[in-house]
Amino acid sequence: NDDKKNNNNKDKEDNNNDDKKNNKNDSKENNKNDNKNGKNRKLGKTFVKRAKTIHNHPDNLTPEQIQQQKHYSKQRTTKLITTMARALLNPLQDDFKIGTIGSSVAAGHDNCHYDSYESQLQRTLSSIFLSAGMNLIVQNAGEGGGCGDTHENQVFCITHNVSPDVDIIHYSWTYFEHGGAEKARESLIRWGQQMPKRPMV
């Protein structure tokens, strides 16, 4: 009986070892296949998964979704044209203002102020607005993370961070957005609709 028990235990251990070897071989084979297919890229001892598929890429959308995107794109373009036309045709308006809120990425930290996004945008488009007799002002209200502000609370101070009479609000927090960003974006749009010019966001 003792011999039988010992033989059974030995058989179980052998089977377990075989299973472990098979699992290791399978995982190695899968990793090799994944690497060949471009799914993983080895960096030292870790594997980095390939970036997720972009959900709004036309190849991943149904015809109805593509049509809906075209509709939204047309709405945004119409809003931009209306916003600019209203300003250019207003005899009492001399300045067209774009107010930017966001993180240190928007602020241009670790960069020269001259090369920040807002400064470059103002230099690029100023001549176009000047030809129509209007000054372009692009305001930079980007903030570093050290102050504790995020996309969740800066939107409530929009009229304090940029001029209350801005024509366009540029939101640049997407670099740090995690969960619940849609609520912050909707709050910004709603606050913007209460501003004098109901700026495009």
Side-chain angles (χ1 to χ4, degrees):
N1 290 334
D2 291 337
D3 291 338
K4 286 183 180 178
K5 286 182 181 178
N6 291 331
N7 289 333
N8 288 334
N9 291 333
K10 192 173 183 181
D11 290 338
K12 286 180 181 178
E13 288 177 3
D14 291 339
N15 289 333
N16 289 335
N17 291 331
D18 290 338
D19 289 338
K20 287 179 182 178
K21 286 179 181 178
N22 291 333
N23 289 335
K24 285 182 180 179
N25 291 332
D26 289 342
S27 62
K28 285 181 181 179
E29 192 64 31
N30 289 335
N31 286 332
K32 284 181 182 178
N33 292 333
D34 287 344
N35 288 330
K36 286 180 183 177
N37 296 330
K39 290 183 179 177
N40 292 323
R41 181 163 49 93
K42 194 170 184 179
L43 295 175
K45 295 181 179 179
T46 61
F47 286 91
V48 178
K49 291 183 178 179
R50 188 174 54 179
K52 291 182 179 179
T53 305
I54 299 174
H55 295 294
N56 61 353
H57 192 280
D59 293 341
N60 305 317
L61 299 177
T62 64
E64 291 78 12
Q65 290 173 323
I66 292 175
Q67 194 62 32
Q68 190 178 49
Q69 278 210 340
K70 288 181 179 178
H71 173 69
Y72 289 150
S73 179
K74 186 177 180 180
Q75 281 188 322
R76 287 192 295 270
T77 303
T78 302
K79 174 63 175 175
L80 179 59
I81 293 171
T82 303
T83 298
M84 295 184 69
R86 181 187 62 195
L88 293 170
L89 296 175
N90 185 354
L92 301 178
Q93 184 170 344
D94 298 320
D95 300 322
F96 189 89
K97 298 177 183 178
I98 301 174
T100 303
I101 66 169
S103 64
S104 57
V105 177
H109 290 175
D110 297 325
N111 199 356
C112 301
H113 176 72
Y114 180 85
D115 292 322
S116 66
Y117 161 78
E118 294 82 2
S119 296
Q120 291 192 52
L121 181 64
Q122 184 167 315
R123 287 198 305 275
T124 303
L125 299 181
S126 281
S127 58
I128 299 173
F129 279 86
L130 284 173
S131 65
M134 183 164 288
N135 299 314
L136 173 65
I137 300 173
V138 183
Q139 300 173 343
N140 185 345
E143 302 179 4
C147 64
D149 284 329
T150 68
H151 64 282
E152 295 179 339
N153 57 19
Q154 194 191 17
V155 298
F156 299 116
C157 303
I158 183 64
T159 55
H160 302 284
N161 288 325
V162 299
S163 298
D165 61 341
V166 292
D167 297 278
I168 293 176
I169 296 173
H170 182 200
Y171 171 92
S172 182
W173 274 107
T174 50
Y175 190 81
F176 292 102
E177 284 179 349
H178 299 295
E182 293 79 9
K183 294 180 181 178
R185 294 179 185 181
E186 183 174 345
S187 294
L188 177 60
I189 294 171
R190 289 178 179 272
W191 278 99
Q193 291 302 298
Q194 297 182 55
M195 297 168 74
K197 294 181 180 177
R198 301 178 67 187
M200 177 182 183
V201 179

